[in-house]
Amino acid sequence: MVTADWPGVDPEWSRRIDVPSTSAADEPGTVRRWHLLDNGAQLSRRGLAPAGTLLCVHGNPTWSYLWRTLLAAGSRPEQPWRVVAVDQLDMGFSERTGTFRRLADRINDLGDLTAALELDGPVVTVGHDWGGVISLGWALAHPQQLAGVVLTNTAVHQPAGSPIPPALRLALHPAVHKWGTTTSDAFLRVTHALARPQLAPGVRRAFMAPYAGAGRRGGVGNFVADIPADPSHPSFAALRRVAEGVRGLKVPALLLWGPRDPIFSDRYLKDLIGRLPDAKVHRFEGAGHLVAEDRDIAGPVFEWLAGYGVDSAAGGGGTVFAAAAQPAVRSLTPDSGTGFTPLWEPLAELAAGPAGGDTAVAEMASDGSVSRSLSWLELEQQIAAVAKGLRQAGVRTGSRVSLMVPPGVDLTVVLYACLRLGAVVVVADAGLGTRGLSRAVKGAAPDFLIGIDKALAAASVLGWPGRRISVRDLPSARRRLLAVETSLAALARQGKLMTPVLQDPDPDAPAAVLFTSGSTGPAKGVVYTQRRLAAMRDTVAATLGIRPGARLVAGFAPFALLGPALGAVSVTPAMDVTAPRTLTARALADAAAAIDATVVFASPAALRNVLATRNGLGQASRQALGRVDLLLSAGAPVAETLLAETQRLLPHASLHTPYGMTEALPVTDISYEQIRAAAADDAAGHTAGAGNGVCVGRPVHGARVAVIPLAADGTAPGDTPVTEPGTTGEILVSAPHVKETYDRLWLTQRESIRTAGWHRTGDVGHFDGAGRLWVEGRLAHVVTAPDAVVTPVGAEQAIERLDGVGLAAVVGVGPSGTQAVVAVVETVPQARRAGPAAPQLAARVREAARTQGVSVSAVLVVPSQPTDIRHNAKIDRTRLSRWAAAVLSGGRAGRP
């Protein structure tokens, strides 16, 4: 045992201790020798009094080395904690006992060790893999000492009817088990290969060190053999006692998870959340089974510990955590107890009134005709019938229901039916792409999945969770193939024959999980309550003047769904809703004519294609568009030139470009006329702070907006919101319709509300002297050049005004603080290949950027910019930065 060969371990932590055993696996009077990594003596030598003890238990086939970052963090003087990381018997550098130790024995062993250590409270257990079960077993046996539990990728229950993970089935197979786990080191190597990114060579050697030779690996094989695969297994009863006991734990819990785990997948996380409903949960996208190696877990664990104060005078002599003061999400909604009208209530009022027979929602066919529609009365009746049918099928308050249904009649009905039931709708649209959609659905872990045939087939292939319900009735063979239980059509028929009374759900209960576009990283689930969804409706109505009787063409799914709640007739044009740029002028005009539209919502990418295809429009189509009163375009900056062309196509419409995000939709609003006025102020210099970015106007009804100033390193480290003109910083918003929380992203949520009472958007901008907000880009895309912090959008807008340039992106290349500013442009007509720009174009681009005070070091061209799938407009600047760095260092250009 050479501690110098263990990277990240202080040799002073390593110790051995002899422990009298009370285990049934041992003879009376047996003493076992344990190895630990323990920073307790080190803290004492330094005169540091620990706040408590972290008792860390590894799984199979790791050892106490797994917890070295917690030991290092707990040894810091600013927040000292004693960390005791054990090597279980027959594992790591502890004694090889020669006995088969089952789950109950290992729980008992851990109790023997803590008794020998005279470990007193407060104790927070930390467990991974099967060490998670063992740590929980100890926690249940020592309630007087227990202060909290931390779990990483573990399980306490195998769902009935579900096979154990394939990797474990293989390891248990008689033909593989002994060779794979003991005779050879295959099980260790396969486990280590799960790390993402790969383990460093020194770290890999340290993990292998205790298991050199078959004689050292008996415990590895026995651990696998002790997995309770079915109720007949000798350890099944012990596992069940732990699983049921966890439900009674009343201490704080933290669950840190790597979702790319072939063993303990998200279904096990879902089970733990059901048993520990108040636990803080964070899923590290991209991390796997060895989450403690893949990501920094010490930071989150100690941040979580810092959020609680230790109360040693707990009732009954126990020791618990008491929540310390910290920002509360509810502070974003100062009037959270008043003014709530459920989202579905306006539908019922319209259905019961004189407009009951009028069209409420319609679908368009590709030939320009209305293929299907429902009146307000029919819509209300269908919602009630489907809600009752869903209740009969098992959907309850709090059930998660993933909706894989295109915008239109069916999606409107099932969405409002779920909300009426108090179920939580999961809306991860196909615009995320197959990979992003699959990641989102698995992360949300729905109880039910309602989808069209194509979505149900994808669910079968990709392993999406949830009991499956089809939209239409399917042939019996197809139902069996797709594991479909029933259909919306069948549920509606059943619901019409039922008379149960539906109770109103709690206004502050979760109602929806909506996913971000994924343009700046993996799409995040955003949780809205019933109250916050209603506040979003009220904000849109008050800001934009959309009232009952409005007629809405929605080229963006969320607005199609919000339309009925506003009392607006809603239609989705014939287009691929996963690709906004497929909206044509003819499809838009047909939809407008079908309902005599007064409002249109279309993304900038959709508008560009509408304008590109407008030449074929006839007089009737132009007249239908001429009757539109209001156009809304959002999702990305909208160029003034694009709005000018759109105004000619919709001559009587007031053009608005609201700014917002999935977490707060909308935040500000501005009209085309106001944009022109802001541009004039910028050109004339009449208004302080005007210019450098996209003017997005003033806060919407009920919202407050401020910024946290940027520091020289391109971050926004402060916590004092300001609104002074010309101060660039991270944009903050406070409003009743801001999201409740991020779904199973505790760290992300903490960061977003670290300025009390505000949501930190991650966008960067400033106010001008007239109180208008100018957006300058994303905080993550700020370029830190040697002499300045450069925000990208202002220079990009200037470059896009050049002839022959479409979309432009300004990115940084090189180390932070010394980055070179690089402009990447999409040319018109499209360039044949990517690479350095021609000298003349490069000179024009540099000059345009210079008008915004930006000095460009290099100019590259691409045939098309990499944009997000949902909006076809948000440029992936992080990806472009990596690509530009490779090109400028002499690599092949390829496609970014």
Side-chain angles (χ1 to χ4, degrees), residues 49-362:
T53 300
L54 297 183
L55 178 62
C56 304
V57 189
H58 66 85
N60 189 27
T62 56
W63 56 288
S64 56
Y65 183 69
L66 182 72
W67 307 114
R68 63 195 181 281
T69 61
L70 293 180
L71 283 144
S75 302
R76 294 172 186 151
E78 58 267 26
Q79 192 186 2
W81 276 75
R82 184 182 182 188
V83 181
V84 176
V86 308
D87 283 0
Q88 298 195 59
L89 293 176
D90 299 315
M91 302 293 288
F93 288 98
S94 286
E95 179 183 346
R96 291 331 188 236
T97 68
T99 63
F100 193 112
R101 312 188 83 80
R102 296 204 177 275
L103 175 59
D105 297 318
R106 293 194 174 279
I107 294 171
N108 191 82
D109 289 340
L110 189 58
D112 288 342
L113 173 67
T114 58
L117 289 171
E118 298 182 346
L119 199 64
D120 199 0
V123 175
V124 175
T125 60
V126 184
H128 172 252
D129 190 85
W130 288 104
V133 183
I134 295 163
S135 71
L136 288 171
W138 184 94
L140 293 171
H142 299 80
Q144 298 303 311
Q145 295 161 265
L146 186 68
V149 297
V150 178
L151 296 171
T152 65
N153 286 65
T154 187
V156 297
H157 174 67
Q158 179 64 31
S162 299
I164 64 172
L168 293 183
R169 287 206 305 273
L170 178 62
L172 283 166
H173 194 282
V176 174
H177 175 250
K178 186 172 182 179
W179 174 87
T181 62
T182 306
T183 305
S184 77
D185 61 7
F187 190 73
L188 283 95
R189 293 188 181 277
V190 168
T191 302
H192 300 160
L194 297 176
R196 304 173 185 277
Q198 291 184 349
L199 298 177
V203 171
R204 188 182 298 109
R205 285 192 297 269
F207 272 119
M208 295 289 288
Y211 303 110
R216 300 284 300 170
R217 293 192 288 266
V220 174
N222 290 346
F223 238 130
V224 172
D226 196 43
I227 295 171
D230 57 64
S232 66
H233 191 281
S235 287
F236 184 84
L239 178 63
R240 183 170 56 187
R241 284 194 296 272
V242 172
E244 294 309 311
V246 168
R247 298 185 190 277
L249 286 177
K250 301 301 181 184
V251 295
L254 175 65
L255 309 181
L256 302 176
W257 212 261
R260 295 184 67 181
D261 187 342
I263 303 166
F264 298 116
S265 61
D266 275 319
R267 73 178 180 184
Y268 296 105
L269 173 61
K270 180 179 180 179
D271 176 74
L272 285 169
I273 292 172
R275 296 169 193 274
L276 296 165
D278 296 323
K280 305 301 182 185
V281 182
H282 190 86
R283 297 172 69 258
F284 294 93
E285 283 293 353
H289 180 67
L290 295 174
V291 64
E293 298 297 322
D294 296 352
R295 298 292 186 272
D296 166 31
I297 70 161
V301 167
F302 279 86
E303 183 177 347
W304 175 73
L305 292 171
Y308 294 90
V310 178
D311 178 11
S312 299
T319 305
V320 299
F321 277 145
Q326 49 190 308
V329 183
R330 290 238 185 271
S331 63
L332 298 178
T333 312
D335 61 343
S336 61
T338 60
F340 173 68
T341 301
L343 210 63
W344 59 85
E345 192 167 296
L347 283 71
E349 293 175 355
L350 285 165
D358 297 343
T359 298
V361 59

Side-chain angles (χ1 to χ4, degrees), residues 50 258 260 742 796:
R260 295 184 67 181
Y742 286 107
E796 291 169 351

Side-chain angles (χ1 to χ4, degrees), residues 637 659 689 691-696 707 710 726-729 731 763-767 773-779 781-782 789-796 877:
Y659 157 70
N692 188 28
V694 174
C695 187
V696 295
V707 302
L710 287 187
T727 299
T728 294
I731 299 169
D763 287 338
V764 176
H766 68 274
F767 293 95
L773 179 67
W774 295 70
V775 176
E776 302 178 46
R778 292 286 294 170
L779 187 63
H781 300 152
V782 168
V789 172
V790 176
T791 54
V793 171
E796 291 169 351
R877 292 175 180 83

Side-chain angles (χ1 to χ4, degrees), residues 602-617:
S603 74
L607 288 181
R608 280 193 290 270
N609 197 55
V610 166
L611 293 170
T613 57
R614 61 186 160 177
N615 290 338
L617 291 179

Side-chain angles (χ1 to χ4, degrees), residues 675-688:
I675 290 172
R676 294 176 65 186
D681 287 346
D682 175 27
H686 290 160
T687 306

Side-chain angles (χ1 to χ4, degrees), residues 571-591:
V571 62
T572 301
M575 62 181 293
D576 179 357
V577 293
T578 70
R581 62 167 62 102
T582 61
L583 179 63
T584 65
R586 176 64 184 274
L588 179 62
D590 288 341

